[in-house]
């Protein structure tokens, strides 16, 4: 389900007879015209976008953006003076470009393991032989800090099944003297196996990969590694081992190698952390003494489906100075912030209210009793996925919208909390980057205005933002539609639904401007209408919306997709619902095959790439979070009827399955199960297996894109594609 960096070699697919009679040819020139709308041709036509500030100690910041001539000069901004200096200008007085912030893993020279650098930049932690080591950055002296790590019971190991690496998972204390980490027990956890194709004996890859229903899964024994003494000390928490779970993602590290769901006290004396149950239904906030390992429980929240503490980031915060904790909960159907007593665990007050969830807490000013947070859906009439920055008092008063424009806002607060950079845009609106006052939202200066004039000159047109109703007419669903730039509204066009059903994401993805979103516009240029609709079950809206098909994973938002496509066909007469197709990758691959099996009279053509067709064959954390723990009733379990191979006999249309044979995210057994069922049912289908490719196909991705184009052109458009067209940069 998740993306990773990949290597791939190509394999030829099996071909089946066309679904539609061949009526015309699509030429190489048509493919070349479509190619103009792929990212490698459009990205350089957009300039002055992507402002990413790097803050300086004196409150100024620097950034670089690509200009129309291809240059990217360093720019220094002084928020107090309101000045912006191009460092290439004559007489410009600029500081040396600062290094990026410490605290995240960085590759070491010579291919050595990644390092996790302390906040003060003086110490780097890394893994060697199942143990944690540190290196003095100044002297390069290495010191082993744990000694009892052994195979499959190592310290700070990065293995969640779907992801596995040699980086260390930990969080440094603010004073750089301690590390919060764990010893991960995977000694009796089941393994996953993949076989690399080569001349001679095949090469076996094996690693720990727990599955739903396994009696033994990964467990973490929490520890503090104290480097303040002359000899490093390991302080073990006085509590049973925790499940390998977080309240944010399906790993205990959700961002850059940091241990998630932990927060250090400012003086490094204590560590606050969440213990999350295997099924994600119970989260317990605990405080550990960093010197003794003593642990006490503060508060506990239990939900019927799955508890989450924010959008890809934990939103709870401890406030030791006032003996309080900011807590995140969806108990009123929206993600809200609450204030609790840190000593007793008693609720003191509710901080945020109303429709629209808090997505991420960006800053807490304990002295001023003020919180800055990103939320969505609080402004009626706007796309509820648009992010906006707000400020509010801890007493729940003084809610202030700091980013008023009707667009998606990507914000970065300054370390001192005085100002923030706001880059806002939409699918149909070029990015604008501005500097604002963090207290009032008042505009200080415009930093950059995105320039898409060269892009527009090529014939590019923005996609259409769409709104439809869900299957029951209860919720508004939001999406995007791509049409041929030379659309003839008097003609009928086949419709292709690009799907990623979540539940941890959606089909549309980012609401920010993009010159090319996947190959959606390129595909439209070949004579299709392409849509992406975020159906029910997607996050960043209400709890009930997110849990709409909890425990029924084969739903995959498909009834919403069909309902939305029917509404669009009524609205836009150029859409031909008699020629409806679908494609998706990973979770979208699961959904596409499911669509072809469950709604065979609606979807005529489907391309299912790297699908997790049976979540009993995908890593335990994801399935058990969104589907629940595996339970058996006789010979059948609650996952069985959700698996695609149990539905395969219903196939009527044209289906292509694709998978990389070294996919260590969604193992290829998922697709082989569907292949086996289709063969046993006597069904015709097409298959592309890419030797040695991982989840995203790597070097073979353009090949797979071309096969996708060919398949839709042949079977949905009823035309003959050019033979073996090569997609890719021509210069």
């Amino acid at each position: 389900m998740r993306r990773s960096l990949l290597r791939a070699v190509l394999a030829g697919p099996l071909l089946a007879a066309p679904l539609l009679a061949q009526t015309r040819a699509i030429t190489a020139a048509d493919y070349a015209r479509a190619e103009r709308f792929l990212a490698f041709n459009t990205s350089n036509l957009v300039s002055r976008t992507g402002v990413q500030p790097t803050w300086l100690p004196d409150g100024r910041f620097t950034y670089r953006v690509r200009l129309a001539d291809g240059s990217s000069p360093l720019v220094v901004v002084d928020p107090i003076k309101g000045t912006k200096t191009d460092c290439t200008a004559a007489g410009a007085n600029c500081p040396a470009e600062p290094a990026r912030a410490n605290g995240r893993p960085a590759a070491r020279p010579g291919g050595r393991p990644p390092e996790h650098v302390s906040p003060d930049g003086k110490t780097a932690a890394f893994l060697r032989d199942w143990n944690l080591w540190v290196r003095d950055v100044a002297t390069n002296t290495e010191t082993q800090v744990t000694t009892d790590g052994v195979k499959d019971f190592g310290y700070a190991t990065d293995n969640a099944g779907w992801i596995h690496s040699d980086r260390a998972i930990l969080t440094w204390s603010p004073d750089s003297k301690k590390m919060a980490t764990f010893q991960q027990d995977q000694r009796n956890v089941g393994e996953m196996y993949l076989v690399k194709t080569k001349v001679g004996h095949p090469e076996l890859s094996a690693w720990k990969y727990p599955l739903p229903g396994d009696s033994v899964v990964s467990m973490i024994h929490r520890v503090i590694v104290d480097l303040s003494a002359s000899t490093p000390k390991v302080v073990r928490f006085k509590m049973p081992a925790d499940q390998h779970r977080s309240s944010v993602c399906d790993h205990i590290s959700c961002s850059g190698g940091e241990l998630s769901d932990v927060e250090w006290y400012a003086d490094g004396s204590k560590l606050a952390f969440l213990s999350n149950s295997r099924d994600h239904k119970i989260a317990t906030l605990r405080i550990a003494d960093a010197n003794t390992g003593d642990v006490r429980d503060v508060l506990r929240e239990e939900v019927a489906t799955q508890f989450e503490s924010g959008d890809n980031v934990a939103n709870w915060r401890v406030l030791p100075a006032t003996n309080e904790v900011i807590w995140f909960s969806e108990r009123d159907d929206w993600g809200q912030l609450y204030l609790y007593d840190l000593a007793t665990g008693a609720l003191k007050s509710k901080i945020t209210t109303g429709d629209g969830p808090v997505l991420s807490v960006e800053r807490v000013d304990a002295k001023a009793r003020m919180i800055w947070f990103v939320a969505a859906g609080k402004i009626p009439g706007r796309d509820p996925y648009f992010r906006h920055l707000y400020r509010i008092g801890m007493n729940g008063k003084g809610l202030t919208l700091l980013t008023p424009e009707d667009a998606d806002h990507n914000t970065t607060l300054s370390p001192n909390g005085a100002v923030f950079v706001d880059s806002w845009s939409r699918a149909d609106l070029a990015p604008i980057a501005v500097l604002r006052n963090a207290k009032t939202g008042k505009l200080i200066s415009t930093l950059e205005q995105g320039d898409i004039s060269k892009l527009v000159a090529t014939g590019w047109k923005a996609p259409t933002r769409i709104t439809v109703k869900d299957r029951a007419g209860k919720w508004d669903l939001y999406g995007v539609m791509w049409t041929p730039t030379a659309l003839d509204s008097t003609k009928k066009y086949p419709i292709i639904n690009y799907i990623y059903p979540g539940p941890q994401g959606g089909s549309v993805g980012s609401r920010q401007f993009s010159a090319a979103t996947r190959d959606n516009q390129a595909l439209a240029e070949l004579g299709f209408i392409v849509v992406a609709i975020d159906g029910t079950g997607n996050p960043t809206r209400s709890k009930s919306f997110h849990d709409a098909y909890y425990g029924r994973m084969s739903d995959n938002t498909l009834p919403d997709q069909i309902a939305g496509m029917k509404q669009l066909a009524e609205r836009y007469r150029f859409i031909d619902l008699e020629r409806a197709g679908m494609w998706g990758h990973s979770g979208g691959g699961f959904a596409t095959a499911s669509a072809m099996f469950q709604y065979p009279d609606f979807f005529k053509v489907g391309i299912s790439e790297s699908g997790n067709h049976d979540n009993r064959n995908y890593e335990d954390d994801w399935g058990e979070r969104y589907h629940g723990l595996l339970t058996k009733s006789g010979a059948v379990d609650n996952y069985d009827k959700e698996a695609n191979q149990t539905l395969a006999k219903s196939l009527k249309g044209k289906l292509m399955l694709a998978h990389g044979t070294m996919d260590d995210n969604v193992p290829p057994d998922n697709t082989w199960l569907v292949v086996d069922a289709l063969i046993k049912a006597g069904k015709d289908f097409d298959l592309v297996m890419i030797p040695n490719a991982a989840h995203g196909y790597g070097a073979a991705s353009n090949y797979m894109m071309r096969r996708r184009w060919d398949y839709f052109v042949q079977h949905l458009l009823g035309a003959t594609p050019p033979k073996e067209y090569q997609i890719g940069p021509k210069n």
Side-chain angles (χ1 to χ4, degrees), residues 259-370:
L259 178 58
S260 295
D261 275 334
V262 301
E263 185 179 358
W264 280 100
Y265 280 35
D267 61 2
S269 64
K270 292 181 174 64
L271 183 81
F273 65 98
L274 289 193
S275 288
N276 299 284
S277 63
R278 177 171 175 172
D279 59 6
H280 287 272
K281 294 183 179 182
I282 303 173
T284 305
L285 176 64
R286 291 172 165 155
I287 306 293
D289 188 302
N291 297 312
T292 67
D294 292 332
V295 176
R296 73 174 181 90
D297 291 359
V298 178
L299 62 90
R300 178 180 185 269
E301 178 146 347
E302 183 172 357
V303 299
T305 54
Q306 52 96 19
F307 174 81
E308 55 190 344
S309 64
D311 179 37
N312 291 316
V313 63
N315 281 332
W316 58 271
R317 297 286 190 278
V318 290
L319 308 173
T322 56
N323 219 19
E324 294 170 311
V325 57
I326 297 169
W327 185 249
F328 176 92
S329 174
E330 295 177 295
R331 66 190 62 166
D332 73 352
D333 201 35
W334 297 104
Q336 308 283 17
L337 300 179
Y338 297 79
L339 192 64
Y340 277 81
D341 188 296
L342 187 57
T344 66
L347 175 64
K348 297 182 71 173
S349 63
K350 191 174 184 179
I351 300 173
T352 60
T353 58
D355 291 357
V358 173
L359 302 182
S360 60
V361 173
E362 297 296 313
R363 179 180 174 84
V364 177
D365 188 331
K367 290 183 179 180
R369 307 288 291 173
M370 203 67 64

Side-chain angles (χ1 to χ4, degrees), residues 56 76 189 268 276 303 346 348 457 571 629 661:
L56 302 173
V76 178
V189 171
N276 299 284
V303 299
K348 297 182 71 173
R571 194 178 306 165
L629 298 181
T661 65

